[in-house]
Amino acid sequence: MNVRFTDEEAQALRAQAAAEDRSMQDVARAAVREYIERHSHHDRVAEALAILGPRNKDLLRRLGAA
C-alpha cells in the first residue's frame, strides 16, 4: 500500500515525527490506528443508542426535562 501526501501534509508529518523522535511511518500508523478507534467507537455508540433509545424513551425524555 502506498499513500501519497501533499507537500504540506508530508512536511507536517516530517515535523511531527522529528518532534516525537519517531519515524514518519510510526507517526502515520499511529494516526491511522487513532482514526479507526475513534470511528469504531462512534459506530458502537450509535448502535447502542439505536437499541437502547427506543427501550428507554420515557427515561430519556425525563432526563432531558430535568
Side-chain angles (χ1 to χ4, degrees), residues 3-19:
V3 179
R4 301 202 190 288
F5 295 108
T6 65
D7 290 341
E8 293 81 16
E9 291 167 338
Q11 181 56 37
L13 180 57
R14 188 175 295 108
Q16 188 63 38

Side-chain angles (χ1 to χ4, degrees), residues 38-53:
R38 188 176 332 119
H39 284 271
S40 67
H41 174 73
H42 179 270
D43 293 344
R44 288 192 311 270
V45 169
E47 289 172 13
L49 286 175
I51 294 168
L52 298 175

Side-chain angles (χ1 to χ4, degrees), residues 2-66:
N2 293 316
V3 179
R4 301 202 190 288
F5 295 108
T6 65
D7 290 341
E8 293 81 16
E9 291 167 338
Q11 181 56 37
L13 180 57
R14 188 175 295 108
Q16 188 63 38
E20 296 180 17
D21 194 30
R22 297 169 61 192
S23 70
M24 290 172 59
Q25 180 177 346
D26 284 346
V27 173
R29 290 178 65 218
V32 169
R33 282 193 305 274
E34 182 179 319
Y35 176 89
I36 291 169
E37 289 172 11
R38 188 176 332 119
H39 284 271
S40 67
H41 174 73
H42 179 270
D43 293 344
R44 288 192 311 270
V45 169
E47 289 172 13
L49 286 175
I51 294 168
L52 298 175
R55 289 185 194 169
N56 298 298
K57 184 171 43 174
D58 187 53
L59 173 62
L60 292 171
R61 181 189 54 75
R62 287 184 289 154
L63 284 171

